Amino acid sequence: MSAPTADQQLLESMQALSHNGAILEFEPGAVIFRAGDRGDCMFGVLEGRVRLTWGDGSQAEILSAGQCFGQGALVQPERRRHGTATALEPTRLVLMQRQGMLFALDQLPVFGLQLLESTERRLQTLRALVA
């Protein structure tokens, strides 16, 4: 059995640290959030796929089980979503509120490292798409 990836470790940490253990379910085509919405949580994909689009919708990223998204709104002063997230198929997400994220960063430095690794991996993928 192979070791869990950094994304899987982050997702497991989110599940363990989410105080209310909120799991959300979305049908295909359901909008999770829209660009401009206020953001107070981040999400981890448990099952399914999520499409993130920016601007006119021509720029997109597809996230699948084990990946996290939405953390940008938690660290920016205006706490706004910059893209629109839509479920592509039946999708289950774990939700982590900003307060839970701040607690995790304060109490468990490894969570911060997992979050940075996940974010950097997504940035590398996006850089390759636009290159």
Side-chain angles (χ1 to χ4, degrees):
M1 187 171 186
S2 63
T5 67
D7 285 332
Q8 290 168 328
Q9 290 173 342
L10 176 61
L11 188 61
E12 289 170 8
S13 295
M14 283 178 63
Q15 285 181 282
L17 293 166
S18 292
H19 296 293
N20 59 5
I23 304 293
L24 305 175
E25 296 185 6
F26 296 89
E27 293 299 319
V31 174
I32 300 161
F33 58 74
R34 295 184 190 284
D37 286 355
R38 189 149 172 81
D40 64 354
C41 64
M42 62 184 275
F43 302 92
V45 183
L46 296 171
E47 296 173 12
R49 293 183 311 140
V50 174
R51 177 183 172 98
L52 295 177
T53 56
W54 300 275
D56 64 1
S58 63
Q59 301 291 329
E61 177 183 14
I62 306 297
L63 301 175
S64 57
Q67 294 185 289
C68 299
F69 65 99
Q71 60 268 37
L74 301 184
V75 297
Q76 297 175 356
E78 59 279 347
R79 298 216 175 80
R80 297 285 174 193
R81 303 288 186 189
H82 293 284
T84 298
T86 307
L88 293 177
E89 56 193 50
T91 299
R92 291 181 62 233
L93 304 175
V94 62
L95 176 142
M96 178 179 255
Q97 297 288 340
R98 183 173 193 271
Q99 181 179 357
M101 183 193 74
L102 293 175
F103 172 83
L105 291 172
D106 182 56
Q107 298 296 312
L108 300 165
V110 72
F111 177 81
L113 183 59
Q114 291 168 340
L115 189 58
L116 284 171
E117 287 175 345
S118 176
T119 302
E120 176 59 23
R121 215 170 356 277
R122 284 184 54 209
L123 286 173
Q124 288 176 1
T125 301
L126 291 173
R127 279 188 214 111
L129 287 174
V130 297

